Amino acid sequence: MAKLLFFSITALGFFCNITFAFGPIPLQDLCVADPTSSTRLNGLPCKDPATVKAEDFFFSGLHIPGNTKNPYGAALTSMTVAQVPGLNTLGLSLARLDLAPDGFVPPHSHPRATEILTVLEGSLEVGFITSYPDNKHLSKVLNQGDAFVIPVGLVHYQRNVAGKRNTVVLAAVNSQNAGITVVPKGIFGAKPAINSDYLARAFLLNKNIVEQLQARF
């Protein structure tokens, strides 16, 4: 029994260390970002605490619908460290996603964050694909009040399935800067361009189709 308890405590300590390594706890009460500093860090340097004010932690605008008049029928209102300097080092960001009827978000991934989507209005189809070799597609239709978790780094998508109604989603990620890689734009819109012969072979497409896609992005 004593040995079992010892190994249980050891394992718990090990997993706790992994957790803290993945999402370090801040070493001070606050570190409001100073975007004017020339110091380069993994994140942003802190401004003088004496100059910190309540506005550094405030954001207004999540109640305002975004402009969805674009080819995707989608709009994102972000609340990251760029808009709220007080989020610096706290490992959190929010965003409002507006989707017009038939609006969608192309397949993409967030290399530095897990995401939680909560539907405020309408209906949303959301799905992600697990990594190779399974490439399993897990998807769900969410209605008002439903939430869905997208694991860090996995390719995922969203689309409005509410018919003629708009859909509004609140997205939360556990990073002040989750990053985003949009699959179509990243592959066919890379600068400088990826070799079209290679892409044609990789996607089993005609080279002319690849070049047309590259011209679009």
Side-chain angles (χ1 to χ4, degrees), residues 167-217:
T167 289
V168 181
V169 181
L170 184 67
V173 296
N174 62 335
S175 172
Q176 70 183 47
N177 182 17
I180 183 169
T181 301
V182 181
V183 176
K185 177 71 173 177
I187 293 174
F188 297 107
K191 305 297 182 185
I194 301 173
N195 181 275
S196 58
D197 285 317
Y198 163 75
L199 288 179
R201 294 172 62 193
F203 283 89
L204 305 179
L205 294 173
N206 183 284
K207 181 181 176 181
N208 291 334
I209 294 177
V210 169
E211 291 176 343
Q212 290 173 20
L213 289 169
Q214 289 177 317
R216 287 194 170 197
F217 290 98

Side-chain angles (χ1 to χ4, degrees), residues 25-60:
I25 295 175
L27 301 179
Q28 61 277 322
D29 287 343
L30 49 87
C31 174
V32 175
D34 180 5
T36 65
S37 175
S38 59
T39 303
R40 300 188 66 83
L41 300 172
N42 185 21
L44 294 168
C46 309
K47 68 189 296 186
D48 184 345
T51 66
V52 171
K53 53 189 183 298
E55 284 73 15
D56 291 324
F57 300 88
F58 175 77
F59 180 82
S60 180

Side-chain angles (χ1 to χ4, degrees), residues 17 32 121 156:
N17 284 337
V32 175
E121 299 176 18
H156 58 284

Side-chain angles (χ1 to χ4, degrees), residues 4-215:
L4 178 60
L5 180 61
F6 170 77
F7 284 118
S8 298
I9 293 173
T10 302
L12 179 61
F14 174 74
F15 285 116
C16 285
N17 284 337
I18 290 177
T19 301
F20 293 146
F22 186 78
I25 295 175
L27 301 179
Q28 61 277 322
D29 287 343
L30 49 87
C31 174
V32 175
D34 180 5
T36 65
S37 175
S38 59
T39 303
R40 300 188 66 83
L41 300 172
N42 185 21
L44 294 168
C46 309
K47 68 189 296 186
D48 184 345
T51 66
V52 171
K53 53 189 183 298
E55 284 73 15
D56 291 324
F57 300 88
F58 175 77
F59 180 82
S60 180
L62 292 179
H63 62 296
I64 301 173
N67 182 5
T68 58
K69 294 181 179 180
N70 56 65
Y72 303 111
L76 193 70
T77 303
S78 298
M79 180 184 165
T80 70
V81 68
Q83 293 80 32
V84 183
L87 284 172
N88 196 35
T89 76
L90 298 184
L92 178 68
S93 297
L94 288 175
R96 171 184 170 134
L97 172 63
D98 287 278
L99 293 171
D102 295 323
F104 65 96
V105 179
H108 63 284
S109 66
H110 302 294
R112 295 183 289 274
T114 292
E115 182 175 15
I116 297 178
L117 299 170
T118 303
V119 174
L120 304 181
E121 299 176 18
S123 298
L124 181 80
E125 180 187 324
V126 57
F128 64 81
I129 299 93
T130 63
S131 57
Y132 177 86
D134 293 334
N135 298 128
K136 188 172 183 179
H137 176 209
L138 299 173
S139 66
K140 190 78 173 176
V141 172
L142 310 181
N143 297 305
Q144 186 177 39
D146 294 341
F148 194 79
V149 177
I150 299 167
V152 59
L154 296 186
V155 173
H156 58 284
Y157 66 91
Q158 298 98 24
R159 70 185 187 100
N160 183 358
V161 291
K164 296 182 179 180
R165 295 178 295 144
N166 293 337
T167 289
V168 181
V169 181
L170 184 67
V173 296
N174 62 335
S175 172
Q176 70 183 47
N177 182 17
I180 183 169
T181 301
V182 181
V183 176
K185 177 71 173 177
I187 293 174
F188 297 107
K191 305 297 182 185
I194 301 173
N195 181 275
S196 58
D197 285 317
Y198 163 75
L199 288 179
R201 294 172 62 193
F203 283 89
L204 305 179
L205 294 173
N206 183 284
K207 181 181 176 181
N208 291 334
I209 294 177
V210 169
E211 291 176 343
Q212 290 173 20
L213 289 169
Q214 289 177 317

